[in-house]
Amino acid sequence: MDNSDSSTSKPASPQQKKKTGKKTAKRTNPKSRLRERRFRAIPASHGVIMGTAIVIRQEATPVLAEQLPPEQIHHELKRFSNAVASCANELETVLSMAQETIPHSVAAIIESQILILKDFTVNESIMHRIGQGISAERAIIEEFDAQQQILYSAKDSFLRERAVELEHIKQRLLAHLRQKKLISSVPKNSILVTPSLTPSEIMLYNESGMSGFITEISGIASHMSILARSLHIPAVIGLRNATKYIDSGTPLIVDGYAGVIIANPRPETVAKYIRRKSELDKKEQKYGKIAKLPSQTTDGRKIHLHANIDTVEDIDTAIASGANGIGLVRTEHLIIKLNRFPTEEEQVRWYSELAERAYPLPVTIRAFDVGSDKTIDALSPEANPALGLRGIRLLMKHKELFASQIRAVLRASHHRNIRLMLPMITSLSELQKARTLIEKCKNSLRKEGLEFDASTPIGVMIETPSAALMARELGALADFFSIGTNDLTQYTLAADRLNPSVANIYDALHPAVLRLLKLTVDAARYHNIPVGVCGEVAGHAAATELLLGLGMVELSVVPPLLPELKKRIRKTSYASSVLLANEVLQYNSGSEIRKRIAVMKKK
Amino acid sequence: MIEQTVTIRNAAGLHTRPAAMLVKLTSTFRSDIYLIRDGFTINAKSIIGVMTLAAEQGSQLRLRIDGKDEKQALQEITAFFESGFGEL
């Protein structure tokens, strides 16, 4: 994976600033125009493409007429109702196009825009303004601005993004007032660079030749981004001043996975991206078919197939391999990389990048699980680290450090696709204390006016026998369970998984371990919360059917194992896996269980 | 005239799609239908009005219906809110 993006300039790249000094359109030195430039913004829709920029700049706000003479009011009212009619007509045309090619949810977006356009209260209010001698343009702008103000003041980012929808409709309406139809035809392989795009514009441009787009406006949950994803159009959004930095005709590479844009790429860069694209295409060819198929059993039980990852880049592989979420982000990776605890700000940046890159898929962030075999310099060595100060124990001892992580996770949660997971819980009081701290963090964020998802799910790692045995009690305070079978096995059987002398004792399919899994699932069902496995056993071919039969609804494995795991899930019947699990739970040795599974597999 | 309190149950709140569905539903009734939040009253047949309520998950709204088919309207509209706009 390409890691050189660290040198990439931020959206408002300082090196571009000199250009804005003089407004007179002096042709820039051709050499500098052709210099390779990299920009980094928000990846909104996956895929890598190369193409030519078509820059569409926002129309200037119309000149607002002074008070209209009374005799012109009637004409102005007519102009307004004509504009509404032709704008609605345009949207209805797009809608009829849309219904054949895109999911119902997207068609519903355009339908709602038609409703907005025809909204009688707003139209009445606009006509009332015109009746007082205000021009149609100004009446539309004033009324929409007033409505937008209300939405912009909402606490909720979802609702604030709705203000953008109103802006789109306002702009379309103004364009129709000036009798400007949409320019919808662009040459093949065009990459649109524009302040923002409406769903209908995306539909129309996609029909002609647009292969990707870059916008100045952001919002990965906006209709623009949702539509790009459902049409598989690579898109990078939120690049401020994109239309200033990029000229029409500029060759561009858009990396919708990483959120990277390269203008005037050097031949070496092009070669590199051709390689990257062909690698991704190969993966797509290899796994594409299986990656796109739903992850469910032959009898229709849906299984969330998640990926365990360490780095932001792992997300691309996970998605290409068909993950429906990230089941485990090992945040220790950040400590190892920095060789110290990261600051809150560093974490916010990292978690936000994870959330944005994976969006709309959920991302499960596990709180720092340091200690045990993952020792770091910052900690004093212990004689028996696996049974020492690790996971939640260490976090609660260094509360300020834990609080900074909780705050960072929450601050990255406003897209509502983040879950937080607590490692090494062994008692109810640990979970209670952790939740109290989380509430404190939420309150402090509220006080500071920082945005977050107050309903961010808090999950418990079930990786000690005590947690499994107490799952009924823990479940009352947990939003989900994730079973770490590696540690659960090692603690249940008192066998170090890294010690070859006891390797024959360490067995994730030992009846004792399976019974603990069963207890955990029963408790999860009692509380109606999701339960899954993120340990290595989730990826074992022999164990898939058994885990499904035990009632797991999430399996999380390293990305390379995803396609095979999904194939196995899709071959399994949930009904017969339940029978298998019930039978196997009666057995009294791991070897017996393995034999039984092997027989099952041969059949 | 009848009134009842309704709660936003889905995670995304009363965003565009449910707002559109709500407006389509309210428009099928002849009664005047209003939603009130923190003293702010909007016409529930206006999609922009509904959107500007900016009602997120958990928020409570007062539903006021006045007209001949108010009972039927109340029943169907509260059921729609109860279902979390089909997004639960």
Side-chain angles (χ1 to χ4, degrees):
Chain A
M1 193 61 53
D2 169 22
N3 254 335
S4 63
D5 296 336
S6 49
S7 61
T8 309
S9 43
K10 280 272 157 202
S13 158
Q15 64 185 33
Q16 312 302 332
K17 272 193 180 146
K18 2 179 162 126
K19 261 186 82 178
T20 52
K22 262 187 190 141
K23 232 182 120 196
T24 35
K26 226 184 183 180
R27 257 258 181 285
T28 347
N29 173 358
K31 262 185 200 160
S32 78
R33 271 185 70 226
L34 293 176
R35 215 180 39 220
E36 176 173 304
R37 276 177 355 212
R38 277 171 170 254
F39 304 95
R40 188 157 207 186
I42 300 161
S45 178
H46 295 139
V48 175
I49 41 150
M50 274 177 268
T52 311
I54 299 264
V55 181
I56 297 172
R57 296 184 173 91
Q58 200 95 311
E59 299 257 352
T61 7
V63 185
L64 302 177
E66 297 296 302
Q67 190 74 13
L68 294 171
E71 64 275 14
Q72 216 187 306
I73 287 174
H74 177 71
H75 169 74
E76 200 68 4
L77 284 169
K78 187 128 186 73
R79 214 160 69 88
F80 169 69
S81 58
N82 283 346
V84 171
S86 79
C87 196
N89 192 17
E90 179 183 274
L91 285 172
E92 272 153 10
T93 313
V94 170
L95 184 64
S96 64
M97 243 162 65
Q99 269 164 344
E100 285 162 23
T101 51
I102 57 171
H104 178 73
S105 61
V106 178
I109 295 168
I110 296 167
E111 211 173 320
S112 68
Q113 296 201 322
I114 297 174
L115 279 177
I116 293 174
L117 194 60
K118 292 181 171 170
D119 192 302
F120 66 96
T121 57
V122 171
N123 284 354
E124 271 170 17
S125 171
I126 291 171
M127 290 194 287
H128 179 74
R129 285 175 202 262
I130 296 173
Q132 289 176 330
I134 290 170
S135 73
E137 275 93 348
R138 202 166 119 194
I140 289 170
I141 291 169
E142 283 179 2
E143 177 62 24
F144 272 82
D145 283 356
Q147 304 291 351
Q148 278 174 291
Q149 268 322 307
I150 301 173
L151 284 174
Y152 276 128
S153 62
K155 275 181 274 165
D156 194 291
S157 68
F158 267 72
L159 290 163
R160 282 206 305 273
E161 282 175 11
R162 301 292 82 91
V164 176
E165 314 291 339
L166 287 189
E167 178 64 27
H168 285 158
I169 297 165
K170 180 176 94 184
Q171 293 299 339
R172 287 311 309 146
L173 205 46
L174 290 172
H176 278 270
L177 211 53
R178 280 168 274 144
Q179 299 186 320
K180 275 207 171 162
K181 288 269 159 60
L182 224 52
I183 323 155
S184 59
S185 181
V186 289
K188 274 241 167 293
N189 285 326
S190 293
I191 296 169
L192 254 68
V193 183
T194 177
S196 73
L197 277 172
T198 67
S200 32
E201 283 166 342
I202 294 174
M203 289 296 303
L204 291 170
Y205 287 127
N206 185 48
E207 288 281 306
S208 61
M210 176 176 73
S211 57
F213 66 77
I214 298 163
T215 62
E216 295 179 346
I217 204 165
S218 70
I220 51 177
S222 68
H223 292 156
M224 170 181 87
S225 302
I226 294 169
L227 189 53
R229 287 192 289 271
S230 61
L231 293 171
H232 305 288
I233 304 169
V236 173
I237 62 173
L239 179 65
R240 273 178 291 144
N241 294 325
T243 57
K244 261 192 213 150
Y245 296 147
I246 301 169
D247 290 319
S248 280
T250 308
L252 290 180
I253 293 173
V254 173
D255 182 344
Y257 288 99
V260 168
I261 297 154
I262 303 168
N264 298 313
R266 283 189 297 266
E268 311 90 84
T269 313
V270 171
K272 205 173 85 187
Y273 266 82
I274 288 175
R275 273 200 307 280
R276 175 159 157 72
K277 193 171 160 48
S278 82
E279 265 167 41
L280 288 165
D281 286 351
K282 242 186 251 160
K283 238 179 233 159
E284 161 89 26
Q285 260 178 8
K286 199 167 161 200
Y287 304 131
K289 225 174 119 201
I290 182 82
K292 286 196 182 83
L293 291 172
S295 162
Q296 60 183 35
T297 60
T298 53
D299 40 0
R301 182 172 164 90
K302 284 204 170 62
I303 303 298
H304 294 281
L305 196 56
H306 287 182
N308 300 344
I309 64 163
D310 290 313
T311 68
V312 173
E313 288 79 16
D314 289 343
I315 290 179
D316 305 349
T317 322
I319 291 172
S321 315
N324 350 95
I326 304 302
L328 172 64
V329 180
R330 300 184 197 88
T331 51
E332 305 83 71
H333 179 78
L334 206 55
I335 304 178
I336 294 161
K337 206 169 98 182
L338 297 169
N339 206 24
R340 61 170 169 81
F341 282 102
T343 64
E344 181 175 325
E345 295 307 319
E346 283 168 337
Q347 292 181 66
V348 171
R349 276 199 295 280
W350 197 56
Y351 303 150
S352 301
E353 206 182 339
L354 286 166
E356 280 165 4
R357 196 133 164 181
Y359 192 88
L361 304 180
V363 177
T364 313
I365 295 177
R366 180 174 71 185
F368 297 127
D369 186 13
V370 281
S372 185
D373 52 332
K374 299 151 214 154
T375 43
I376 63 152
D377 296 344
L379 300 167
S380 49
E382 293 178 309
N384 205 345
L387 304 180
L389 188 64
R390 57 168 292 199
I392 195 75
R393 305 167 180 183
L394 181 118
L395 293 169
M396 288 309 287
K397 190 159 183 212
H398 297 275
K399 264 195 188 148
E400 62 311 322
L401 188 146
F402 188 22
S404 75
Q405 184 172 35
I406 295 169
R407 283 172 53 93
V409 168
L410 289 170
R411 284 172 64 188
S413 72
H414 61 273
H415 297 302
R416 294 175 193 261
N417 64 331
I418 279 194
R419 309 195 295 179
L420 175 62
M421 187 154 82
L422 307 172
M424 272 302 280
I425 296 278
T426 52
S427 70
L428 186 60
S429 76
E430 273 170 343
L431 179 55
Q432 281 165 336
K433 282 178 192 153
R435 292 216 69 138
T436 308
L437 183 62
I438 292 167
E439 285 313 308
K440 261 193 197 160
C441 291
K442 286 183 182 170
N443 283 336
S444 71
L445 289 175
R446 278 189 197 104
K447 262 187 215 140
E448 291 160 47
L450 292 168
E451 196 187 332
F452 64 96
D453 175 12
S455 54
T456 299
I458 309 295
V460 170
M461 283 283 285
I462 305 290
E463 51 190 337
T464 60
S466 57
L469 292 163
M470 296 287 290
R472 186 66 80 98
E473 287 76 10
L474 295 174
L477 288 179
D479 300 310
F480 65 95
F481 284 151
S482 184
I483 309 176
T485 46
N486 299 358
D487 274 331
L488 184 61
T489 307
Q490 119 164 328
Y491 290 130
T492 305
L493 303 177
D496 181 353
R497 66 189 158 118
L498 301 176
N499 181 346
S501 317
V502 292
N504 58 327
I505 296 171
Y506 180 92
D507 178 8
L509 296 182
H510 189 287
V513 180
L514 294 189
R515 286 171 203 182
L516 292 175
L517 298 190
K518 176 76 166 64
L519 276 179
T520 309
V521 172
D522 288 346
R525 284 197 171 140
Y526 178 80
H527 291 288
N528 197 19
I529 57 175
V531 56
V533 169
C534 65
E536 272 164 34
V537 75
H540 289 179
T544 308
E545 186 166 10
L546 183 54
L547 293 175
L548 296 187
L550 283 169
M552 302 300 165
V553 292
E554 284 179 15
L555 295 180
S556 196
V557 297
V558 290
L561 297 180
L562 288 164
E564 287 304 318
L565 178 56
K566 192 192 267 186
K567 272 188 208 159
R568 286 199 300 278
I569 292 170
R570 291 179 53 82
K571 276 187 203 151
T572 303
S573 140
Y574 175 57
S576 57
S577 73
V578 171
L579 295 177
L580 173 75
N582 288 342
E583 186 192 327
V584 158
L585 280 169
Q586 313 298 322
Y587 290 12
N588 44 34
S589 79
S591 57
E592 249 182 302
I593 293 170
R594 280 172 207 286
K595 243 182 252 163
R596 176 67 185 85
I597 293 174
V599 172
M600 190 82 181
K601 283 205 77 167
K602 267 183 205 148
K603 261 201 243 170
Chain B
M1 189 184 77
I2 37 179
E3 276 196 28
Q4 193 173 319
T5 302
V6 287
T7 309
I8 307 290
R9 304 186 45 174
N10 65 321
L14 196 42
H15 62 94
T16 320
R17 191 146 40 94
M21 288 162 75
L22 177 65
V23 168
K24 275 193 193 165
L25 177 63
T26 52
S27 303
T28 60
F29 299 105
R30 311 192 73 175
S31 298
D32 290 328
I33 304 173
Y34 298 95
L35 282 166
I36 303 146
R37 186 189 187 191
D38 306 331
F40 182 58
T41 305
I42 59 94
N43 190 323
K45 294 180 183 179
S46 154
I47 187 166
I48 298 188
V50 173
M51 280 165 65
T52 52
L53 280 178
E56 62 265 17
Q57 186 176 32
S59 53
Q60 297 206 323
L61 308 174
R62 197 85 189 136
L63 175 64
R64 178 184 298 158
I65 310 178
D66 189 8
K68 277 191 178 153
D69 53 3
E70 60 187 26
K71 281 205 178 114
Q72 180 68 19
L74 183 76
Q75 200 185 356
E76 290 189 29
I77 295 167
T78 50
F80 182 58
F81 274 90
E82 274 305 298
S83 77
F85 315 126
E87 291 183 352
L88 289 185

